[in-house]
Amino acid sequence: MKSTFLLETRKGSFKESRAYIKAFSAITIIFFIFLGFFTAYFVKRNLFLPLEMLLSSTSKVERDEKQNIKDMLPNDEMGHLLFSFYQMSEKIHKKTESLTYKAHHDQLTGLKNRIELDQEIQDSIFNMANNDTKIAVFF
């Protein structure tokens, strides 16, 4: 009688342990499935999407289309902020180019003024000394 009682106790203990192991295995499997989905999402977002944007940009360059920086930035607050800074930088660059052109060219004719002409003559004289070429200046 005592041996059957011990046997039944051990069977119960075995079934309980088996239930814990099954539950732990199920939780582990669910965790690894979740981890697999998360890894796939992370790899797609950080590897494949930038490669797709690069391919898209490359095809635009091949078709001689203008690049749009907004297409390459994320569509969130950080992307908007980066795009705004890019636009400000472009405006500053264009205004700097315009002012540089106005500073070195005549406004009426568009020809180079004295400052730019003097610099170009100095560069030509320096290149002439190195390449054995001749230059001429016509006023």
Side-chain angles (χ1 to χ4, degrees):
M1 177 98 163
K2 189 171 182 163
S3 63
T4 57
F5 176 72
L6 286 174
L7 183 62
E8 290 299 320
T9 307
R10 287 190 181 165
K11 275 185 183 178
S13 176
F14 174 73
K15 286 180 182 178
E16 187 180 327
S17 297
R18 192 168 154 193
Y20 284 134
I21 290 172
K22 282 184 179 180
F24 182 73
S25 298
I27 291 171
T28 305
I29 289 170
I30 291 170
F31 173 74
F32 279 115
I33 289 172
F34 174 75
L35 188 63
F37 282 127
F38 180 74
T39 303
Y41 170 75
F42 182 79
V43 167
K44 181 178 180 183
R45 191 174 133 250
N46 291 325
L47 182 66
F48 292 125
L49 286 179
L51 287 174
E52 287 175 9
M53 285 192 300
L54 180 64
L55 287 172
S56 172
S57 299
T58 304
S59 64
K60 279 185 178 182
V61 169
E62 288 173 349
R63 292 189 307 261
D64 291 331
E65 293 178 10
K66 186 179 180 198
Q67 292 289 325
N68 188 0
I69 191 71
K70 195 159 187 145
D71 293 340
M72 295 180 226
L73 296 174
N75 202 9
D76 58 2
E77 294 85 10
M78 186 57 87
H80 177 71
L81 184 64
L82 288 170
F83 181 68
S84 298
F85 277 113
Y86 176 77
Q87 282 182 321
M88 286 188 284
S89 173
E90 285 293 311
K91 286 179 184 177
I92 291 170
H93 182 69
K94 286 178 183 177
K95 289 187 186 240
T96 303
E97 277 184 1
S98 173
L99 288 174
T100 302
Y101 182 82
K102 287 178 181 178
H104 296 277
H105 292 79
D106 182 56
Q107 288 210 325
L108 181 62
T109 61
L111 297 174
K112 295 179 181 179
N113 63 11
R114 268 185 286 159
I115 296 169
E116 187 68 20
L117 185 64
D118 286 342
Q119 182 63 42
E120 194 167 307
I121 289 172
Q122 291 296 327
D123 291 342
S124 297
I125 290 171
F126 178 74
N127 289 336
M128 179 188 69
N130 291 339
N131 298 334
D132 286 334
T133 58
K134 297 178 182 179
I135 61 168
V137 178
F138 178 71
F139 281 100

